Every structure is written in structure tokens, then in C-alpha cells.
Amino acid sequence: MSTKGTTDPTDPTHTDEKTKKTDTDVLVIGAGPTGLLLAGDLAAAGLRVTLVERRAPGISNLTRAFSVHARTLEQLDARGLADELVATGTPVADLRLFGRLTLDLSALPSRFPFLLLTPQYEVERLLERRARTTGVDFRYATELRALRQDTDTVTAELATGGTLRARYLVGADGVHSSVRTALGLPFPGASVIRSMVLADVRLTQEPGKLLTVTVTAADDAFAFVAPFGDGWYRVMGWDRTHQADDTGPVGLDDVRAITRRALGSDLGMHDARWVSRFHSDERQAPAYRSGRVFLAGDAAHVHSPAGGQGMNTGLQDAANLSWKLAAVLRGEARNPEALLDSYQAERHPVGATVLRSSGTLVRLAMAHTPLQRTARTLATRLLGTVRPVATRAMGQISGIGITYASGARRAPDEPLREGRLYEALRAGEFVLIAPEGRTPPLPPTAPVTPTRLIRTTWADPTRRDTALIRPDGYTTPLKP
């Protein structure tokens, strides 16, 4: 049941005054994975969405991401994309760290108990296709110059001239976010590691272990090799004795030299299609929301590549924010401001945790003093021998173990009489699961009054509980 007196923007006759004043309901800046997922969700919810991207159409968005964790695959499963993405890459169940520790991801309680190695452009390809199918208006070769907002709208001034007015705006435009700059928000932090090299190459020799972070005996270099599954490999390396500026020249010979130091062989790498040198920062914006403007993905937080959590964290930001914006814009939120504020309350602590965990991993890999080496040995031993610690670490890195202070927990992919839970979530709505023969009303503590609630039944006839699952696959605590 919709809130009394609220019009539905998905209705073609919807012409309330706020809609008349705007060009779009939500303006998303940045067409990377975070912006694409967010825009696709909002358009699928029947909203008008415009996606602005500074790149020209057809220009590849070359980035460092190459791994998709279990929780992200669950989010993609809720959008009907996970199985197609898995087919593009290589699932890896074992992660080896520092040559001493193996984390067994096959124990994860998920339909996807592995880390999927696949290039970021495969993720973007699927998300862009979905965004176009749902009706997102793409504006390429367009850049934000400034923005201003009032009580009802956000106005974006474009570098190409002209303006776009929206009910809300989301900055998903990366570490150098023009949205964050326009808001005047700080981005405190520092570089955690400099002069890392990246390359996509072909090999004549298969690496012995997949995703093994190998550190030299002198702790002055490390490297690892990850297969994409199509004959190409991603190589990442760092050498303490050879620190160069990011803007300096870098070639395949540099990558070979670091790999030989760390792995004892360059594995016959050749035919590099991409080589770069970069530094990695640890930064986080203090606020993910400023009035009608939000930050998501690398615009809100950036951290070391250790653990492969960057793109994954951004995609989960988008999944968290999209349903909240949709509920507010469709007039279904019981308390719109509180619901929008919950994005900061839920996702900012996650970003901070990822900063700490990824930073710890890269500092352990770089350890070279006796004290640092001792700390790495103790950490490795703890993770390798204390099962609850290892389980918690895998849950955090994979995203499976994320729980919000609000009480919302990740919902497992429960079997239902109608199929699987994550199949039911593909409608983009709340899912109410009840025992057979019961149709309980939505409690007043639910955050929304959805007009399109999906009602389902437990496959297990002995279950007598009721669960309300948010569109992002998290439970909503139900209180009488």
C-alpha cells in the first residue's frame, strides 16, 4: 500500500511540482562500476536517471580492479548478472599470503564460495548493458564544473555548457571526484605504498599457484600473478630498491625485473597490453552525504589494492544507496531523511574497516624491520591456527560477514517455495518470507511502505519465522 497522497513517479501521468522543476530524478556522475550499478537500479525502479561521464563513448576505463568477491557476486545475482560474469573469469578458492598462509574461501556460506578473477571491463560491460536496457540516459564526454542545491533540487553546471537539474545527485567519479571537490569536502589520508607496477601480459610458463603474494627473503620486493582465464594474466609488483615516480616511463622490462626478484622467474611474460606504475592512497571522506548530494565508491573512499576490495566496496555502496533513493523518490519511505542518512551510518564504517584491513595487508607485505617481520609472523600464525579469526577475516574481505549497526544482516540465499531468495530480489523490491499459509502485515517498524512487496514462502515447511529482506539483500529487523 502506498502512502496516502503520494504520487507514483513510475506512472506516466506523474507530474508533481518537484518533477516539473527537474530534468531528471537522479543525476549520477561517473560511469565506472559503482555509477553503472546505481544508475541501473534506479532506472529499473522506474525513475528518470542521467549518467554523466567525462570519457568519450568507447574509451576504455582502464583500472586496477580484477577481482570480484562473494558478496558482490551475490549482489550481481540479485540482478541476474552473476552467472554470466562468472563465465568470463577464473574462480579461485585458495588465497596464499606471504608464502606461509592459505585462506580457504570454499568454506564461505555462499553460492559463490570463491574469489572471481575477471577484468573490471567485464563487470562494466554487464552493468552498462543493464543500465541501457532499463533506460538510463548516458551523457559521455561531459564533465561536472560546479553544483548548487536548494531544498528541492540539485543543479549541475557542465563544462560543456548548460545545466542539469535533479532531485538528487550522486558522485561516483573516482578518487579525483569533481563532485567531492564541488562540495568542498576534505579527503584526508596519505599514500600507503608508492611505485607499484601493473601489467596485463601473456605468459609462456604457468604460475605454480594462483593469487599467491610472494615476498623476497630480504623483504624488499613482492609480486603476484592472477589469471583472467582468457590467456591474459594480471601481474602486480613492488621493489623497495627501485622507487620511481608515477609519471616516469615504465615498460615490460620493469615488470619482468620485479617479478624475477620476487618469484625467481618472469614466467616468460610477453605481449603486454597494458603497463602502468601507480601509488596507492588511504583516504576517506568524512561525510558521504551533503544535503541532496551523495558520494559512493572511490569518490568516498580509496585504499590499497591488497585484498581486492576497492571495486567491491563501491558496488556495495551503490546497492545500499539505490533502494533508499528509490524508496524516497517513490514516496514509500516512512522517514525519508532518516532513511537517506542511514547510507552514511551503514557504509562509512565499512569503508573505514576496508581502509584498515587493506592497509594492514600491504604493510605486512612491505615489512622489513625485525619488529614488522615479527608482527607478520604472529598475524600469519593467528590466521592459520585460530579458526574463528580466519573465518572473520574471510567474511570481512569477501563481504559476507558485513553487519550494520542498524541490526541489518546479510541474508543468505534461502530456498523458497518460489525458487531462491536472490532470484526473488531481482524484482528490486522488499521480499517478505513467511511460513506457509500466513500473510502477515508489514510491521510499522519497517523502513518503507512498499507498493510492490514480494511475498514468498519458506521452502522448509517447519519454519515458523517471518523475515523481511531489503532490496540489497540485508535483513530488516522486525519488531512488533
Side-chain angles (χ1 to χ4, degrees):
M1 180 183 301
S2 61
T3 303
K4 184 177 180 181
T6 299
T7 55
D8 181 1
T10 65
D11 184 336
T13 64
H14 175 69
T15 56
D16 69 21
E17 290 306 310
K18 291 180 180 179
T19 298
K20 288 179 182 178
K21 291 170 59 178
T22 60
D23 302 301
T24 188
D25 290 318
V26 183
L27 176 58
V28 181
I29 309 295
T34 300
L36 289 168
L37 187 142
L38 178 73
D41 281 2
L42 292 168
L47 300 170
R48 299 171 303 151
V49 184
T50 302
L51 183 55
V52 166
E53 168 57 50
R54 66 168 61 96
R55 288 177 290 125
I59 301 299
S60 176
N61 186 22
L62 290 175
T63 63
R64 300 188 292 271
F66 64 92
S67 56
V68 184
H69 282 292
R71 184 55 181 159
T72 303
L73 287 169
E74 290 180 345
Q75 295 287 4
L76 295 174
D77 190 21
R79 291 155 178 83
L81 301 174
D83 291 338
E84 187 175 353
L85 183 65
V86 170
T88 69
T90 302
V92 175
D94 293 333
L95 301 182
R96 294 200 63 188
L97 301 177
F98 320 126
R100 304 175 180 89
L101 170 68
T102 299
L103 295 179
D104 180 12
L105 298 179
S106 66
L108 288 172
S110 171
R111 185 169 175 252
F112 308 99
F114 50 78
L115 174 69
L116 179 69
L117 304 181
T118 192
Q120 178 173 322
Y121 60 74
E122 293 288 1
V123 179
E124 291 185 352
R125 176 180 62 83
L126 295 179
L127 291 175
E128 181 179 347
R129 185 186 69 195
R130 174 175 179 259
R132 291 189 181 280
T133 300
T134 55
V136 173
D137 177 15
F138 280 77
R139 305 284 184 92
Y140 281 102
T142 305
E143 192 168 352
L144 179 75
R145 183 173 61 188
L147 64 83
R148 60 183 183 274
Q149 56 180 314
D150 56 33
T151 56
D152 294 326
T153 63
V154 183
T155 300
E157 297 181 13
L158 306 177
T160 51
T163 62
L164 283 173
R165 292 174 301 167
R167 298 279 296 279
Y168 292 95
L169 183 148
V170 181
D173 50 343
V175 62
H176 302 296
S177 170
S178 57
V179 175
R180 191 184 62 244
T181 299
L183 290 172
L185 284 175
F187 204 37
S191 292
V192 62
I193 187 170
R194 296 183 179 276
S195 197
M196 290 194 71
V197 296
L198 278 181
D200 286 355
V201 301
R202 293 190 181 275
L203 304 177
T204 58
Q205 178 184 341
E206 291 284 334
K209 283 284 187 179
L210 302 182
L211 270 194
T212 299
V213 179
T214 303
V215 184
T216 61
D219 289 315
D220 56 7
F222 65 79
F224 73 87
V225 180
F228 285 142
D230 59 357
W232 290 96
Y233 291 80
R234 169 64 55 84
V235 180
M236 181 182 295
W238 174 80
D239 184 347
R240 192 190 309 278
T241 66
H242 184 65
Q243 297 286 290
D245 189 84
D246 291 354
T247 59
V250 58
L252 185 57
D253 286 343
D254 298 283
V255 184
R256 287 191 181 111
I258 293 175
T259 309
R260 283 195 294 267
R261 290 200 65 196
L263 304 181
S265 169
D266 63 16
L267 305 174
M269 63 180 65
H270 59 95
D271 291 338
R273 64 181 176 186
W274 179 43
V275 181
S276 72
R277 192 188 305 275
F278 71 98
H279 71 277
S280 182
D281 287 353
E282 290 179 341
R283 299 183 184 277
Q284 185 177 29
Y288 286 10
R289 181 189 182 192
S290 177
R292 291 181 167 269
V293 181
F294 299 82
L295 298 177
D298 286 355
H301 48 77
V302 64
H303 33 77
S304 92
Q309 299 173 82
M311 178 180 68
N312 293 270
T313 306
L315 287 169
Q316 291 169 52
D317 289 345
N320 184 285
L321 179 58
S322 64
W323 73 265
K324 295 174 180 178
L325 280 171
V328 170
L329 286 165
R330 297 195 311 199
E332 297 173 351
R334 297 186 191 275
N335 187 333
E337 289 304 305
L339 185 61
L340 294 178
D341 283 343
S342 72
Y343 170 63
Q344 161 89 13
E346 292 185 341
R347 294 305 300 173
H348 194 276
V350 172
T353 298
V354 172
L355 255 70
R356 289 193 297 270
S357 63
S358 62
T360 297
L361 284 173
V362 78
R363 287 177 175 86
L364 291 176
M366 294 167 60
H368 67 287
T369 69
L371 183 60
Q372 291 169 339
R373 290 175 178 175
T374 299
R376 184 173 67 197
T377 299
L378 290 175
T380 302
R381 186 175 301 162
L382 184 66
L383 286 167
T385 58
V386 182
R387 188 174 184 83
V389 174
T391 298
R392 182 174 179 179
M394 288 189 293
Q396 193 275 317
I397 292 173
S398 68
I400 293 296
I402 291 174
T403 299
Y404 297 133
S406 62
R409 295 177 174 273
R410 164 194 165 265
D413 192 15
E414 299 281 4
L416 309 174
R417 289 283 295 274
E418 299 81 3
R420 297 187 292 111
L421 171 59
Y422 281 73
E423 291 173 330
L425 286 170
R426 291 174 186 174
E429 307 294 344
F430 276 72
V431 175
L432 183 66
I433 316 175
E436 186 174 1
R438 291 186 59 191
T439 55
L442 205 60
T445 54
V448 298
T449 57
T451 59
R452 291 163 285 271
L453 178 69
I454 307 299
R455 293 183 178 271
T456 60
T457 306
W458 300 112
D460 181 356
T462 66
R463 290 197 65 162
R464 309 311 301 164
D465 58 315
T466 299
L468 180 63
I469 313 302
R470 306 184 332 189
D472 62 350
Y474 284 82
T475 60
T476 292
L478 295 179
K479 299 176 183 178

